[in-house]
Amino acid sequence: MTPDHVQQEEFIQTTTPIYTFPKGMPGFDQLRQFTLKEYNEVFSLLSAVDQPEVTFITVNPFDFHANYEFVLPDEAIQDIEVSDREQVAVRCIVTWHSDRDKSTVNLLAPLVFNIKNLKGKQIVLQNTSYSTKHLLWTENERIRTGEGGDS
C-alpha cells in the first residue's frame, strides 16, 4: 500500500457526512451523531459515531413502496430546520431475514434527513396504516427485478 493510497483512504473516511440527531433516536437517545454510508445501490448503513456497533440497514422507501407518503410534522421541520423540500432525504430501517423475501421495512418510523445542514430525526407517524414490518420485497418488486419465478 503506497502512502498516497493511505492518504486517499483517510480522506474518503473523513468526508463521510456526519448527521446530528438533536434529540437522538427512539431507544438510542444518548446517541446523537450518525454516519450514513451507501452499502450498494439499494442499501445504506446508518451507524452511530460513538458506538459503531449500533448500525442500521436502511433503504429509500420510495424504491420499494412507490405509493409511500406522509406529511412531515411541524416539530420535525423545526428540529432539523427544513426550509425547502429539496433539503429532505428519507430512509427507512430494514429488518433483515435469512430468507430475503421475509425481510421487512419500518414504514411507521421513517428517518428524515436535512442534507444541507446534516441534521436528522426519526419520526413516528400518527393515524396511519403503516407498520414497522412491511415486506420489503413485494410481488411487484420481485417481478420488476426479474425474481418472480415459479412458486
Side-chain angles (χ1 to χ4, degrees):
M1 187 179 299
T2 66
D4 289 338
H5 184 69
V6 171
Q7 287 177 340
Q8 184 178 6
E9 274 187 20
E10 288 173 5
F11 176 75
I12 290 169
Q13 290 173 352
T14 59
T15 58
T16 299
I18 296 175
Y19 286 92
T20 300
F21 283 61
K23 297 180 179 177
M25 286 176 53
F28 299 91
D29 298 341
Q30 76 285 6
L31 300 175
R32 302 292 170 100
Q33 294 189 312
F34 292 84
T35 58
L36 183 63
K37 296 180 187 175
E38 281 189 28
Y39 178 76
N40 60 27
E41 63 278 353
V42 176
F43 299 101
S44 295
L45 299 175
L46 181 72
S47 302
V49 171
D50 293 336
Q51 293 181 351
E53 66 275 12
V54 177
T55 296
F56 303 94
I57 301 169
T58 69
V59 294
N60 178 340
F62 307 105
D63 290 346
F64 292 87
H65 297 275
N67 295 327
Y68 182 59
E69 64 181 11
F70 62 90
V71 174
L72 194 57
D74 290 340
E75 178 188 354
I77 291 171
Q78 293 168 359
D79 285 348
I80 63 171
E81 301 170 6
V82 171
S83 59
D84 183 328
R85 176 183 206 118
E86 300 300 312
Q87 294 173 304
V88 177
V90 177
R91 305 297 286 185
C92 288
I93 295 175
V94 170
T95 300
W96 195 256
H97 191 280
S98 57
D99 177 350
R100 182 185 108 132
D101 290 339
K102 293 181 181 176
S103 296
T104 60
V105 60
N106 179 349
L107 297 181
L108 181 65
L111 298 160
V112 182
F113 297 92
N114 182 329
I115 59 174
K116 296 287 188 208
N117 68 8
L118 301 180
K119 289 189 178 183
K121 181 174 183 75
Q122 184 174 28
I123 61 173
V124 179
L125 302 177
Q126 304 295 317
N127 304 317
T128 181
S129 62
Y130 296 128
S131 77
T132 59
K133 296 201 179 289
H134 285 269
L135 286 177
L136 183 61
W137 308 102
T138 63
E139 187 62 33
N140 288 341
E141 179 65 19
R142 286 194 296 271
I143 291 168
R144 187 171 69 83
T145 59
E147 297 180 14
D150 299 310
S151 301

